[in-house]
Amino acid sequence: MIRQRQLGDLTALATLTEEVHAADGYPHAIPPDLTAFFFPEDLLAAAVIDDAGTIIGHAALKVTMGGSGAMDLVGRATGRSLDELAVLTRVMTHPSARGRGLVRDLTEWAIAAAAALRRRTWLLVDAESTSAIACYAACHFSSVGSVEVTFGDGAVVPHLVMVRPELGHTTT
Ligand SMILES: CC(C)(COP(=O)(O)OP(=O)(O)OC[C@H]1O[C@@H](n2cnc3c(N)ncnc32)[C@H](O)[C@@H]1OP(=O)(O)O)[C@@H](O)C(=O)NCCC(=O)NCCS
């Protein structure tokens, strides 16, 4: 069941983050402040997949991501300003629950939640994360370019910027 995330989910999300990081190297590092990671100041909405009390998936929408390079790229590609955009982030599904359509459900939730706020959805994905890129392409996101993201540990990692068409403009 997909449902709105609650503050009480934080402990379960910490476990999910550790397990996804260990399996996939996402996020890049375990955030030292998980509350700030899951509840950033520019948060728009967040959802979890709750499997009979166990959190097996998560996604959030926020306003800013990746610095001005990424946001300028999205602005040029979509013709939209920051207050008309929402970035899909913190997308994780438990390694034991892959291939069940959970990210598809989470992206559909995100697109509807963003559209309800009159925002269009975009995302950043590690350019070497072929499985995540394939998944997002299957969910109708298209690359509009790439940027380098600098993490807190100084690592500079190329990322693709992907944009979802307007609601109703997909072919399937
Ligand atoms: C990559 C990841 C997001 C996919 O999650 P998932 O729950 O297995 O994805 P779903 O089952 O919802 O798949 C949705 C679509 O993507 C496709 N897909 C998923 N993984 C894929 C892969 N490795 N290769 C090709 N296509 C893939 C599925 O076939 C499906 O398309 P379909 O419905 O047309 O068949 C997941 O493996 C993950 O959480 N990885 C670690 C965290 C991460 O990288 N997050 C992204 C941060 S930007």
Side-chain angles (χ1 to χ4, degrees):
M1 169 185 75
I2 189 162
R3 65 163 170 81
Q4 191 172 339
R5 192 188 64 194
Q6 299 158 2
L7 194 54
D9 295 322
L10 202 50
T11 304
L13 288 170
T15 305
L16 180 66
T17 305
E18 281 174 15
E19 292 176 344
V20 173
H21 175 74
D24 305 288
Y26 178 85
H28 174 75
I30 299 287
D33 182 349
L34 276 172
T35 304
F37 181 71
F38 282 108
F39 293 88
E41 283 182 5
D42 62 343
L43 182 71
L44 294 169
V48 293
I49 308 268
D50 183 333
D51 183 14
T54 301
I55 303 299
I56 58 170
H58 175 271
L61 289 170
K62 65 195 290 287
V63 179
T64 61
M65 178 77 64
S68 58
M71 293 184 284
D72 288 349
L73 192 55
V74 176
R76 284 197 301 276
T78 62
R80 290 194 169 208
S81 57
L82 264 193
D83 61 0
E84 300 170 311
L85 293 164
V87 58
L88 173 62
T89 183
R90 282 69 162 150
V91 177
M92 294 179 243
T93 53
H94 193 274
S96 68
R98 301 280 162 80
R100 286 168 38 182
L102 300 188
V103 167
R104 185 173 286 285
D105 291 348
L106 287 164
T107 56
E108 293 303 326
W109 161 82
I111 290 151
L117 298 169
R118 300 183 184 281
R119 291 172 185 265
R120 184 164 161 191
T121 313
W122 66 283
L123 58 83
L124 273 170
V125 56
D126 185 326
E128 291 195 353
S129 185
T130 50
S131 57
I133 292 167
C135 177
Y136 291 133
C139 295
H140 306 294
F141 284 84
S142 307
S143 172
V144 293
S146 61
V147 293
E148 289 187 333
V149 174
T150 304
F151 289 98
D153 62 2
V156 178
V157 181
H159 277 62
L160 290 191
V161 177
M162 301 184 83
V163 173
R164 166 84 188 204
E166 303 283 0
L167 264 190
H169 286 226
T170 53
T171 51
T172 55

